[in-house]
Amino acid sequence: MGIKTAEEYVESLRKLNLEVYFMGERIENPVDHPAIRPHINSAAVTYQFAHDPEYEDLATAVSHLTGKKINRFTHIHQSTDDLVKKIKLLRAIGQQTGTCFQRCVGYDAMNAIYATSFEIDQKYGTEYHERFKKYLTYVQDNDLMCTGGMTDPKGDRSLPPGKQADPDLYLHVVKELEDGIVVRGAKAHQTGAVNSHEILVMPTTALRAEDKEYAVCFAVPADAEGIFYIFGRQTNDERKLTGEIDQGNAKYAIVGGEALVVFEDVFVPWERVFMYGETDFSGMLVERFASYHRQNYGACKVGVTDVLIGAAALIAEYNGTEKASHIRDKIIEMIHLTETMHTGSLASAYEGVQLPAGSYYVNTMYANTVKHNITRFIYEICRLAHDVAGGLLATLPSEQDLKHPKLGPYIEKYFKGVASVPTEHRIRICRLLENMTGGTALVESMHGAGSPQAQRVMMYREANLEQKKKLAKKLAGIED
Ligand code: SF4
Ligand code: FE
C-alpha cells in the first residue's frame, strides 16, 4: 500500500468497526452520517493534496526510515525546512476547507513520541524508540490517519491524577499482563477521533513519581475492543439534516468533529507501548506535543481566516459598502492580524532545533506566542467580519423560506443588496460567515492545543527573566 488517495481513505474507514454514539443512538455507518461526513471530507483533503501536482511537494516527504515517498502527515521532521513545509501545507489546506482537517494531531503526536521515546531509552535502557519506529513504518506504509489522545477529563483540577475521587478521570494502566497492559479512562475533545485509523495516547500533564500508572503512551487501532466514542454537538449541527445553504460550509462543516473517547479496559500489546511508568518524561512528552501543535495554529487557522477575509470582502461588495474607508480599514486589520499569526508560525519553524533523536523541534517560545495570539486575534477577526457583514448575519430566514413559492420572491426582493448580485449569493456568503465565526469555531481557537494559561506558563518559563534583569541593571548602572 502506497500513498492513499482521498477516495481510498474514505473507503478504508468503512472497514473499521467503530462504536460511535451521537444524540443517544449508535451510528451504524459513521462514514455516511450527515453529522460526521463533512469532517471526513475535510480530513480527506490531506490525502487529496498528496496527489495534487500543485501541492505534492508540500504534502509528501521521503521517509527517513524506509526511503519511500510518504504522505507528509506521517513524516518525522528531518530539518527546519520540513517544519516550514508543514506550516505552508496547513495554511493551504485551511484555505481549501475553511475548517479543521484534523490530521495534524496525529502528525504532531508521532513527532513528539519519536523524540521523547529516544530520550527515555537513553536514560533507562528501554526499547520504546525501536518499537515506535516499527509502528511508524506501519503507519507510513499504510498511510494511516492517527488521532492524538492527550486531554484527560481531569475531574477536580486542584488534585493530581492519583488523588481524584474517581481514578479513571485520568487514563491509566489497570493491569499488567505478560503480553501487554490493560488501560482504562477516557480522552476528551478528540479531534478527528471517529475518522481515524489509529489512536496515539499520551499523558495529559507532568506527573508526580507516585503516579506511575498514569505515565503511559501507546497506540491502539481505533476499533480496538473496549473503545467507544461519544460524538460532540456543534453549533447549528441540526442544519446538516435540513438543507445545504444554511450550513454555510456544507462540504466541510465547522471545526474538527470532536468526541469523547472511552477506554473501557482496553488491551495494548507491549510492542505498541512507548512509555510506561517513566513519570519524569511525561512533562517532556506533553510539552513537545503541545508546542508542535501550537505552532500549527498560525497556519491552519490562517488558511481559515484567508477564507474569512475573502467572505468579508465579498459581503461588502454585495452590500455596496466596499468603497467605504472604514470597511476597507477593517479588512486591512483582518489581513494584518492574519499575517501576524502566520509569521509567528514560520519563525517557530525557521528557528527549529535538532533533538537528540535527530528529528527537528519547533522554537517553543514562538509556538506558544502564536497560539496565544490565536486566542485573541481569531475573536477580533470574527468581530470585524460581523461588523463588516451587518445584522442580517443573525436574522436571515431559512433555505426553506428562500425556496418557498410564496415567500421566496419576497426574500429575493427584500434581501437584495446591489442589483447585479443574486440574493442567493448574498445569503450564501452570510451563512458561510455565520458558520465560520460562531460558537464552536471560536471556542476551538481558544482551547484547541491548550488553553491560554498553558501558553502563558510556558512563555514565562522560557523568557529568561534573569538575563533581561541583567540587561536593565547594566543600562541603569546597578552593580551587584
Ligand atoms: Fe490541524 Fe488546526 Fe485542526 Fe489542530 S486545529 S488538527 S492544527 S487543522
Ligand atoms: Fe485544534
Side-chain angles (χ1 to χ4, degrees), residues 339-378:
E339 300 307 334
T340 303
M341 294 186 286
H342 193 56
T343 48
S345 284
L346 282 175
S348 175
Y350 282 113
E351 294 288 309
V353 291
Q354 193 171 27
L355 293 171
S359 56
Y360 273 72
Y361 186 39
V362 298
N363 176 295
T364 53
M365 178 61 104
Y366 298 152
N368 279 279
T369 51
V370 74
K371 170 67 217 316
H372 203 60
N373 281 340
I374 297 284
T375 68
R376 298 172 178 175
F377 294 179
I378 296 289

Side-chain angles (χ1 to χ4, degrees), residues 42 46 73 86 90 93-94 97 99-106 108 191-192 255-256 258 289 292-301 304 444-445 448-449:
S42 190
T46 69
F73 282 92
K86 170 174 89 153
L90 267 46
I93 302 177
T97 60
T99 187
C100 169
F101 35 91
Q102 313 136 41
R103 204 175 171 193
C104 345
V105 186
D108 296 328
T191 297
V255 204
E258 276 72 23
F289 169 75
Y292 277 125
H293 204 63
R294 285 173 195 164
Q295 182 211 22
N296 299 353
Y297 273 56
C300 69
K301 299 293 178 225
V304 169
E444 206 278 336
S445 295

Side-chain angles (χ1 to χ4, degrees), residues 385-396:
H386 290 173
D387 186 350
V388 170
L392 84 166
L393 214 59
T395 62
L396 272 178

Side-chain angles (χ1 to χ4, degrees), residues 110-312:
M110 286 170 217
N111 275 277
I113 297 168
Y114 182 87
T116 308
S117 59
F118 181 88
E119 285 169 63
I120 301 176
D121 287 358
Q122 274 194 323
K123 180 165 177 188
Y124 290 111
T126 40
E127 53 183 57
Y128 298 128
H129 191 64
E130 280 311 309
R131 283 183 195 167
F132 187 70
K133 282 203 308 204
K134 269 192 204 128
Y135 172 75
L136 184 65
T137 306
Y138 163 72
V139 169
Q140 291 181 341
D141 284 352
N142 291 283
D143 200 2
L144 300 178
M145 173 158 159
C146 301
T147 179
M150 173 155 283
T151 312
D152 286 292
K154 297 203 276 283
D156 182 341
R157 270 64 175 167
S158 70
L159 298 173
K163 292 256 160 71
Q164 296 285 331
D166 179 346
D168 300 343
L169 288 170
Y170 285 76
L171 188 140
H172 61 129
V173 178
V174 290
K175 213 186 285 174
E176 240 180 84
L177 304 171
E178 208 168 300
D179 49 351
I181 50 175
V182 177
V183 298
R184 189 188 303 156
K187 291 289 179 182
H189 329 301
Q190 287 312 293
T191 297
V194 302
N195 51 292
S196 291
H197 307 99
E198 290 274 327
I199 312 175
L200 281 171
V201 170
M202 298 160 283
T204 200
T205 183
L207 293 166
R208 308 170 308 158
E210 54 267 49
D211 285 332
K212 278 195 185 319
E213 71 266 33
Y214 296 91
V216 62
C217 169
F218 59 88
V220 275
D223 56 358
E225 208 185 319
I227 293 180
F228 63 93
Y229 303 81
I230 309 174
F231 193 63
R233 295 215 67 176
Q234 297 192 332
T235 309
N236 296 332
D237 55 4
E238 58 287 296
R239 293 187 192 180
K240 289 172 179 163
L241 309 172
T242 57
E244 182 248 333
I245 295 177
D246 289 356
Q247 292 182 55
N249 182 0
K251 186 161 184 194
Y252 300 118
I254 319 177
V255 204
E258 276 72 23
L260 178 78
V261 188
V262 180
F263 293 74
E264 199 61 38
D265 293 348
V266 176
F267 172 71
V268 187
W270 288 122
E271 62 266 25
R272 280 172 164 259
V273 176
F274 312 123
M275 163 196 251
Y276 174 35
E278 293 81 7
T279 47
D280 49 337
F281 282 91
S282 183
M284 178 193 279
L285 183 53
V286 173
E287 208 170 288
R288 286 196 178 152
F289 169 75
S291 295
Y292 277 125
H293 204 63
R294 285 173 195 164
Q295 182 211 22
N296 299 353
Y297 273 56
C300 69
K301 299 293 178 225
V302 161
V304 169
T305 56
D306 284 330
V307 179
L308 263 181
I309 293 167

